[in-house]
Amino acid sequence: MNPWIGLLKKEWRISKLWIWTTVGIVIAVNIVAYLLALKYDEPIAMFVPSLIVTSLHAFYMLMFMALSLQTEAKRLHLWLHTPQPVFRLVSAKLLIAFGSLLVSLFVSALFTYIASLEIKERYFNEEMWNHELFIQSGMLAVLSIVLLSIHLAVLCLFYWVIHLICKQMVSKLSGVIVTLIYFLFGWLFSLFMKTNVYEWLTGWGKVAMPRAAFKYNATEGWIMIEKMGTMPVGAIVFYGIMAALLFSVSIWLIDRKVEV
């Protein structure tokens, strides 16, 4: 068997309970919301919880990696003493996390879409609803959730590695040190975000993107309008490179600094 495939199967085995549990929670929340919508004859009672659950998927890969890495921390000597390089060990976790995110997010977004159709039937006239614009806006929102989820997962990996190193050096204060490092990096990055350099790195390649906006008109009721926004390609490239660098640094630190 290909060692890479073996790693993916191993990650699937230890993570499948989490994966099916999260999908089950998504379905359960939406069913309960649907029953409440039927009881009170109010489609918003389904749409709002469904939208919240879909939005919370931004933290899906973060939680997945935190739980998976914590499991490995209990048997670190076994995990890191396998013949597989650290890059494969960690990337297998990220790949399974990403795949499970897509499954759960698809189920959740499907419920949100169904709930939105009920909102449309109740509150919108047919000519006031631009279905193509709504789908486009929804896909952009899903893409944003996926990208944010990946970024948070890599940050989780980085701080987990920092925690392991601190635990080896000063076990009792490792939690405090990691917390201080987290807030220090956050403060420094917030200062960097106010500089012209940050604007130069992230502000280029702005692409005009139409998005759906909603407002209430006394005559027509609720209407959907198209509002133009911009999506800076530079920001996506910048945060993508930053995530790749954090991932690479994490792999290097595990290889060189983490003792088992």
Side-chain angles (χ1 to χ4, degrees):
M1 179 188 296
N2 186 309
W4 174 244
I5 300 300
L7 275 178
L8 292 177
K9 288 185 176 180
K10 175 251 185 183
E11 293 300 333
W12 162 253
R13 284 197 302 271
I14 66 175
S15 305
K16 62 182 179 181
L17 178 61
W18 157 267
I19 295 169
W20 295 127
T21 299
T22 53
V23 172
I25 291 173
V26 168
I27 295 174
V29 169
N30 279 281
I31 288 176
V32 171
Y34 173 70
L35 293 175
L36 289 173
L38 285 180
K39 179 178 180 180
Y40 295 104
D41 190 29
E42 180 50 77
I44 291 178
M46 179 180 179
F47 178 74
V48 172
S50 182
L51 184 62
I52 291 173
V53 170
T54 299
S55 301
L56 287 175
H57 278 77
F59 304 97
Y60 185 98
M61 287 183 65
L62 167 66
M63 295 301 299
F64 185 105
M65 290 297 291
L67 293 173
S68 183
L69 291 170
Q70 184 58 32
T71 299
E72 300 296 359
K74 298 175 183 178
R75 52 189 183 193
L76 198 61
H77 62 292
L78 294 175
W79 188 49
L80 295 182
H81 277 168
T82 60
Q84 297 295 323
V86 174
F87 171 80
R88 286 188 177 182
L89 295 175
V90 176
S91 57
K93 289 186 179 296
L94 282 171
L95 188 58
I96 293 297
F98 178 70
S100 57
L101 165 68
L102 294 183
V103 172
S104 183
L105 184 56
F106 172 79
V107 174
S108 186
L110 184 60
F111 275 110
T112 304
Y113 174 70
I114 294 171
S116 70
L117 295 181
E118 295 297 319
I119 294 287
K120 168 196 168 186
E121 292 297 325
R122 174 66 63 88
Y123 295 106
F124 289 81
N125 293 324
E126 189 67 33
E127 61 271 16
M128 298 301 171
W129 181 273
N130 187 331
H131 196 72
E132 182 179 348
L133 177 62
F134 180 76
I135 293 296
Q136 186 177 24
S137 298
M139 291 179 67
L140 284 173
V142 167
L143 177 61
S144 299
I145 290 171
V146 170
L147 293 177
L148 179 57
S149 191
I150 294 172
H151 192 78
L152 291 177
V154 175
L155 279 175
C156 173
L157 171 66
F158 175 73
Y159 284 110
W160 178 77
V161 175
I162 297 297
H163 171 70
L164 288 181
I165 295 172
C166 292
K167 193 173 182 180
Q168 292 171 174
M169 299 171 62
V170 279
S171 178
K172 294 182 179 180
L173 296 176
S174 59
V176 175
I177 294 173
V178 172
T179 301
L180 290 175
I181 292 174
Y182 171 80
F183 283 108
L184 176 62
F185 282 0
W187 176 68
L188 290 174
F189 191 74
S190 67
L191 293 179
F192 175 63
M193 290 176 69
K194 298 175 183 177
T195 65
N196 292 330
V197 175
Y198 176 82
E199 179 61 29
W200 178 74
L201 289 171
T202 61
W204 59 272
K206 291 183 178 179
V207 180
M209 301 292 295
R211 60 184 178 86
F214 302 91
K215 69 177 185 178
Y216 185 77
N217 183 286
T219 305
E220 303 289 349
W222 283 99
I223 60 175
M224 181 193 298
I225 58 175
E226 180 178 322
K227 295 188 71 175
M228 296 302 296
T230 58
M231 181 180 68
V233 176
I236 297 176
V237 173
F238 173 78
Y239 284 101
I241 292 174
M242 195 170 81
L245 288 174
L246 284 176
F247 177 78
S248 300
V249 169
S250 300
I251 297 300
W252 184 86
L253 288 173
I254 294 174
D255 255 336
R256 305 296 177 87
K257 301 297 182 181
V258 175
E259 301 174 1
V260 294

